Amino acid sequence: MTIMQIAGTIAFSFLLLVLQSTFAHLVPWDMFVPNAALTVVLYMGLHDHDVGRGALVSFGIGYLMDAFAGSPIGLFTFVSVAVFLISKVAAWRLFLQGWIFEIILAFLLALAAGCVVLAIRALFDQDFGSLLSHAKIVVWRATATALVAPFVFRGMKWIEQVSARTKRSSGRKVLRG
Amino acid sequence: MSFLARYRNVFICIVTLVTPFLFLKSNLADPAKLTAFDRILLTISTPVQWVTTATAETVGQIWSKYIFLVNTNEENERLRFDNARLKAENAVFLKTEQEVRRLRRMLMFKETFTGELRASRVVARVVGRGVSEQFRVDRISLDMSGTDGLVKGLPVVTFEGLVGQISRFEGGYADVMLSADRKSYVPVFVQRNGAQGILRGTGELDRYTCEVEYLLRSDEVREGDQLFTSGIGGKFPEGILAGTITSVRRENTGLFQRVVVEPAVNFSRLREVFVIMDSAEVMSTVGDRDE
């Protein structure tokens, strides 16, 4: 993962968060708002070979999610890094090919992320009444996230291709020089 | 390979997992139970958090205000429509408010006007206007349907002052000769010094003016003096504002001075007027005629 790719990934996540926060009120059923930035973390877990760098970028994306969501700082940061590590483990164990697998994995990991959020809230908030109402939303949000995952994955692939092309062309210039 | 390089990824994973957890713990902890470590974490995190949140909010606002304008056109159309509708409604309300104000002033005038005339006044709506070539009203028509006892010469007034007198009536309608009409004569006095004269309309087509006749040169009058009906002759009750002096000219010769008066009433804006029904002179004249 190059510096440009890292910057592109964070900028892309930022854009997704802006879109997510803007379009959220247009979705007729507000439970069905996807967590698009989480799928970026998922993609990194599945495709990036450098665990340390991926964890740091996930940390940054999670921090942005906290800032946009207005949640207590650290909540989504923790969840984001956790999702990255889980997806990394999944990538070692599973051979993933095609958008159906992407959707299934995105659904399962978004569900896991929702459960982690609920667990952390239960640990600190101990307001079980509101937790129950949040638990109902988790499944729907995971479904919405899974549906947007293939599109986010294509976006991430495009960023990878662009940064790789830029790296190659700058390498050629160095060689000519 | 050094120890740090070997376990770099493990170290980063632990730090990136533990750090947010600690921040979260400090953020959600009861402020009364904060430890020194929590305070340090909060001190570190607060400015960073503020900057990040402010940036996120600013970008979000720029996006929603300047870029994401999906429904703006539709909303503009709706607001334009609402604006037009509200303007129309407002115009109706303004008109109603003016009418209410005018009627209130008329009511106040009716209640404050002196004793015996109070019961003998009839409110009449202006239903027609004769307009000169210079767009000045030279005659008005009143709807007097249902009013008995109408005779020629009855005084017509508003809360602003003297309008004129009934010149003709037929079939529930009455024509009013305005005080600015050349044929109108009204006995008046100057409020400031009691000087008496006859207010006569000049009949000019482009403005409303009257002149005071038979005002002696020795009577000291000046611009701004107000003229009221004197009640002499009994046709017009005493004390109705007839107009204000706008210019005074004293010739070297002659007994009288030339005094120009602006009528108290703007005849172009009349909507409702009072007709004074029991003016003594008119009644006696009618009585004589009947006999």
Side-chain angles (χ1 to χ4, degrees):
Chain A
M1 209 180 202
T2 61
I3 297 292
M4 192 185 166
Q5 210 174 320
I6 292 169
T9 304
I10 290 182
F12 185 52
S13 308
F14 193 84
L15 180 71
L16 287 174
L17 285 168
V18 169
L19 288 172
Q20 194 175 306
S21 58
T22 313
F23 283 99
H25 71 278
L26 293 178
V27 178
W29 198 27
D30 61 352
M31 286 184 182
F32 212 67
V33 178
N35 191 346
L38 196 73
T39 53
V40 174
V41 173
L42 176 61
Y43 180 89
M44 287 194 307
L46 297 175
H47 296 90
D48 190 10
H49 297 295
D50 191 330
V51 179
R53 212 156 32 193
L56 281 172
V57 176
S58 304
F59 184 90
I61 293 171
Y63 193 78
L64 283 176
M65 284 157 74
D66 275 332
F68 269 90
S71 54
I73 211 78
L75 181 65
F76 280 108
T77 316
F78 178 81
V79 170
S80 178
V81 178
V83 165
F84 171 76
L85 293 175
I86 296 168
S87 58
K88 197 84 223 163
V89 172
W92 281 330
R93 293 283 173 192
L94 303 167
F95 176 74
L96 291 164
Q97 199 74 40
W99 58 273
I100 293 174
F101 286 105
E102 286 171 0
I103 288 177
I104 292 168
L105 193 69
F107 174 75
L108 291 174
L109 283 173
L111 205 62
C115 291
V116 173
V117 170
L118 285 179
I120 291 171
R121 286 208 164 150
L123 194 67
F124 291 111
D125 271 6
Q126 295 181 341
D127 179 7
F128 295 105
S130 70
L131 284 176
L132 273 175
S133 63
H134 278 95
K136 290 174 194 166
I137 300 170
V138 167
V139 180
W140 293 112
R141 288 238 162 133
T143 311
T145 307
L147 290 175
V148 298
F151 302 103
V152 178
F153 280 23
R154 298 296 167 274
M156 286 297 291
K157 259 181 197 144
W158 180 79
I159 290 169
E160 270 182 9
Q161 284 164 0
V162 169
S163 61
R165 230 179 289 150
T166 316
K167 197 180 172 185
R168 271 202 301 274
S169 64
S170 61
R172 268 189 225 117
K173 274 179 195 167
V174 170
L175 282 174
R176 271 183 215 143
Chain B
M1 194 185 270
S2 70
F3 177 82
L4 203 66
R6 197 173 170 185
Y7 292 103
R8 171 184 159 268
N9 286 347
V10 177
F11 176 72
I12 289 173
C13 287
I14 291 168
V15 168
T16 50
L17 269 178
V18 171
T19 309
F21 199 78
L22 290 174
F23 274 106
L24 192 62
K25 186 178 162 294
S26 304
N27 271 301
L28 293 175
D30 186 350
K33 294 174 186 170
L34 281 177
T35 62
F37 182 69
D38 288 334
R39 285 202 187 88
I40 291 168
L41 280 180
L42 285 175
T43 313
I44 296 167
S45 72
T46 307
V48 182
Q49 191 177 351
W50 183 83
V51 170
T52 318
T53 312
T55 311
E57 271 179 13
T58 309
V59 172
Q61 278 178 3
I62 290 170
W63 174 269
S64 57
K65 280 184 183 171
Y66 301 104
I67 302 166
F68 183 69
L69 302 170
V70 172
N71 294 325
T72 309
N73 198 32
E74 238 173 66
E75 200 175 346
N76 278 348
E77 283 299 317
R78 190 174 52 75
L79 289 173
R80 267 193 213 111
F81 176 77
D82 282 352
N83 190 31
R85 183 176 55 79
L86 290 170
K87 270 184 180 169
E89 279 179 14
N90 194 35
V92 172
F93 288 139
L94 276 175
K95 199 179 164 197
T96 312
E97 194 215 351
Q98 282 171 358
E99 199 166 344
V100 167
R101 201 177 291 171
R102 199 176 62 249
L103 292 172
R104 193 177 287 159
R105 284 168 74 184
M106 285 182 79
L107 189 67
M108 277 171 68
F109 173 77
K110 196 175 180 180
E111 283 174 354
T112 51
F113 207 65
T114 48
E116 65 184 67
L117 286 171
R118 189 180 293 174
S120 60
R121 214 166 308 123
V122 172
V123 178
R125 188 174 283 271
V126 177
V127 290
R129 289 180 179 84
V131 182
S132 76
E133 290 162 7
Q134 274 77 28
F135 302 103
R136 288 288 173 274
V137 174
D138 54 16
R139 180 179 56 81
I140 59 171
S141 298
L142 308 178
D143 179 8
M144 300 293 290
S145 48
T147 308
D148 297 325
L150 269 183
V151 288
K152 193 177 170 183
L154 284 175
V156 179
V157 297
T158 69
F159 53 86
E160 287 174 324
L162 182 70
V163 175
Q165 54 190 294
I166 301 284
S167 61
R168 198 167 70 94
F169 59 94
E170 201 175 318
Y173 294 95
D175 283 350
V176 177
M177 180 169 67
L178 305 176
S179 64
D181 193 293
R182 193 183 289 276
K183 287 178 271 181
S184 165
Y185 291 88
V186 181
V188 292
F189 70 96
V190 180
Q191 187 197 30
R192 191 169 53 80
N193 58 13
Q196 304 225 349
I198 301 290
L199 185 76
R200 186 188 173 193
T202 58
E204 289 182 42
L205 295 175
D206 59 342
R207 60 184 182 148
Y208 301 119
T209 52
C210 305
E211 283 184 2
V212 185
E213 293 184 344
Y214 312 116
L215 197 63
L216 293 171
R217 286 189 74 228
S218 55
D219 290 330
E220 196 267 314
V221 293
R222 56 181 178 235
E223 285 179 26
D225 278 349
Q226 288 191 317
L227 300 173
F228 286 82
T229 51
S230 63
I232 293 173
K235 184 190 269 187
F236 293 93
E238 187 185 343
I240 299 169
L241 180 65
T244 307
I245 294 175
T246 53
S247 77
V248 180
R249 204 171 71 200
R250 291 187 184 85
E251 304 291 347
N252 290 332
T253 55
L255 272 174
F256 308 107
Q257 53 188 322
R258 186 167 184 264
V259 175
V260 180
V261 174
E262 185 188 0
V265 174
N266 184 341
F267 304 111
S268 305
R269 293 181 190 167
L270 290 173
R271 295 280 181 83
E272 285 98 12
V273 294
F274 293 109
V275 179
I276 298 169
M277 299 298 290
D278 62 352
S279 184
E281 167 72 12
V282 173
M283 294 313 285
S284 64
T285 312
V286 172
D288 294 344
R289 223 181 274 158
D290 288 346
E291 283 164 15

